[in-house]
Amino acid sequence: MATASEIKLTEAYIGLLGRAPDPAGLAYWVAEYDAAVAAGTDPDIALKKITNDFTLSTEWDSGLGANVTKTTVDGV
């Protein structure tokens, strides 16, 4: 049976990358998420950081992220 962390991260994979996670990738991100929460990070903030990391990946840029218009604010 999947843990709550595995379910959250699987949903993030599907929503952002358009695919189910590979076992090694899921294990890595679940460990990152669980460690952050155990260290006192709010679970929503921990998940937001990980989903942000997903959008910084080359997979995002070549997949769903390729359809996102990138804008700058004050040159940033």
Side-chain angles (χ1 to χ4, degrees):
M1 177 178 272
T3 66
S5 299
E6 290 170 330
I7 292 168
K8 285 181 188 205
L9 277 265
T10 297
E11 289 172 347
Y13 262 91
I14 293 168
L16 291 172
L17 301 177
R19 67 172 178 86
D22 59 279
L26 179 61
Y28 172 81
W29 289 114
V30 165
E32 291 289 308
Y33 174 82
D34 288 344
V37 172
T41 303
D42 179 275
D44 292 335
I45 300 297
L47 184 59
K48 184 161 181 72
K49 185 197 178 307
I50 290 171
T51 58
N52 183 62
D53 289 346
F54 284 4
T55 65
L56 297 174
S57 71
T58 55
E59 182 177 0
W60 168 260
D61 285 340
S62 64
L64 293 174
N67 297 319
V68 174
T69 302
K70 296 187 185 339
T71 61
T72 61
V73 176
D74 296 330
V76 179

